Amino acid sequence: MLEQEVGLALVERSGRQVRLTAAGQLLAAHAEQMIARLLVAEEDVRAIGQLGHGRLRMATFRSAGESLLIDAITYFRGHYPAIQISVVEGEPEEYMASLRRHELDLALTYDYDGLDGQLDEGLVREVICSEPILVAVPSGRHYERQPLRLADLAQEKWIASTPTNAVHRFTERACAQAGFTPRVVMHTDDYHIAQELVARGMGVTFLPEMSARSHHRGVDVHRLSDVTLSRRIHATYRTGGDRVAVVAAIRDVLIALGAP
């Protein structure tokens, strides 16, 4: 009997009623988790080599989600309409734990120059694209030097990411390359909000090229001539995930869309 194997009582009997002991409840919880993992594994195995059915669970950050991922999902849905697709939006710091727990199949992540974070051994990431980092200034602001140098903005107020975001240190480190410490006056992780603040004269900010494609009409966007800054976007998944057909397929679509 199982009780003899574990050496503990797993049920308590009172008349005709039977209930689990604390040890029994713990064992049952572990059993439920094992069954859930087996069901997920079974779905993954069935999905290998076929795209006729299945599910695809993804996560994205906003700037990639509203352009790159939308295009990828549109293409994917058109070619594999039977695949059930779900997407959550946030920051990688928020959803990477879900990827590790097998609650997601693939996540879009990023790294900026000087902020390349370490990846868990159980995860793999592949570069989808690399894009330059630009700078957004209030429209009509004229600078003596053209093209614009980052050093020309040393006296400006800056808008940067919040301290909870992995990009928080980027503004300081990027400006250090141009020889100054930025005077950061506001923080936001939303590039749309950052552009609105720039348009209203609250400061200047960095923008990835992807976010600058539809920039605010009150904002001018410049390439920088004295420093080279870039962001890389990755398709990140668990080790071995590319053997699952749906994961490999959406990864290939994303890489194709991100190609220059």
Side-chain angles (χ1 to χ4, degrees):
M1 294 178 59
L2 186 57
E3 288 185 331
Q4 293 177 337
E5 292 183 15
V6 299
L8 293 171
L10 302 178
V11 296
E12 294 177 345
R13 297 173 177 82
S14 177
R16 295 184 178 180
Q17 295 184 343
V18 178
R19 64 181 182 182
L20 293 173
T21 63
Q25 293 174 359
L26 181 61
L27 188 62
H30 280 293
E32 290 178 357
Q33 294 174 5
M34 290 176 62
I35 291 171
R37 285 196 290 269
L38 286 171
L39 290 173
V40 171
E42 182 181 358
E43 291 181 7
D44 288 346
V45 169
R46 287 177 177 175
I48 293 176
Q50 59 179 327
L51 284 168
H53 68 280
R55 67 181 181 187
L56 180 60
R57 302 163 299 175
M58 294 184 289
T60 183
F61 53 97
R62 181 171 180 176
S63 59
E66 62 189 8
S67 54
L68 181 64
L69 189 63
I70 290 295
D71 291 341
I73 291 175
T74 301
Y75 176 91
F76 199 86
R77 178 61 58 81
H79 286 75
Y80 312 111
I83 303 296
Q84 298 179 1
I85 301 174
S86 62
V87 178
V88 295
E89 186 268 331
E91 289 294 326
E93 296 90 347
E94 300 168 339
Y95 53 68
M96 288 304 290
S98 296
L99 180 64
R100 299 183 188 99
R101 291 195 301 264
H102 293 248
E103 295 169 1
L104 294 170
D105 301 306
L106 182 143
L108 294 186
T109 58
Y110 56 73
D111 71 82
Y112 284 64
D113 287 344
L115 299 176
D116 186 9
Q118 296 296 316
L119 197 66
D120 292 359
E121 291 184 1
L123 298 178
V124 175
R125 68 182 184 187
E126 296 190 51
V127 175
I128 298 172
C129 62
S130 179
E131 58 180 342
I133 301 296
L134 314 177
V135 66
V137 302
S139 182
R141 185 78 62 85
H142 299 291
Y143 293 91
E144 293 182 1
R145 293 180 182 271
Q146 293 294 335
L148 186 64
R149 299 187 315 158
L150 182 56
D152 297 331
L153 304 176
Q155 302 305 315
E156 296 284 356
K157 298 176 182 178
W158 282 84
I159 300 161
S161 297
T162 65
T164 59
N165 192 301
V167 189
H168 174 62
R169 301 184 307 277
F170 174 75
T171 298
E172 182 176 345
R173 292 187 180 184
C175 292
Q177 293 186 44
F180 69 95
T181 300
R183 183 161 52 110
V184 177
V185 295
M186 295 185 183
H187 297 86
T188 178
D189 295 326
D190 189 316
Y191 287 121
H192 294 277
I193 294 176
Q195 289 193 58
E196 184 66 40
L197 292 171
V198 172
R200 294 172 183 258
M202 304 296 179
V204 300
T205 194
F206 287 115
L207 280 183
E209 185 179 52
M210 189 175 293
S211 298
R213 290 172 185 169
S214 57
H215 61 269
H216 194 289
R217 62 183 180 181
V219 166
D220 290 337
V221 178
H222 296 266
R223 290 183 178 270
L224 297 168
S225 61
D226 57 338
V227 296
T228 300
L229 306 169
S230 61
R231 175 178 79 167
R232 287 153 296 281
I233 298 177
H234 305 273
T236 302
Y237 49 87
R238 293 181 299 279
T239 301
D242 55 340
R243 295 196 297 269
V244 178
V246 289
V247 175
I250 193 65
R251 175 207 58 189
D252 291 346
V253 171
L254 287 164
I255 292 174
L257 289 171

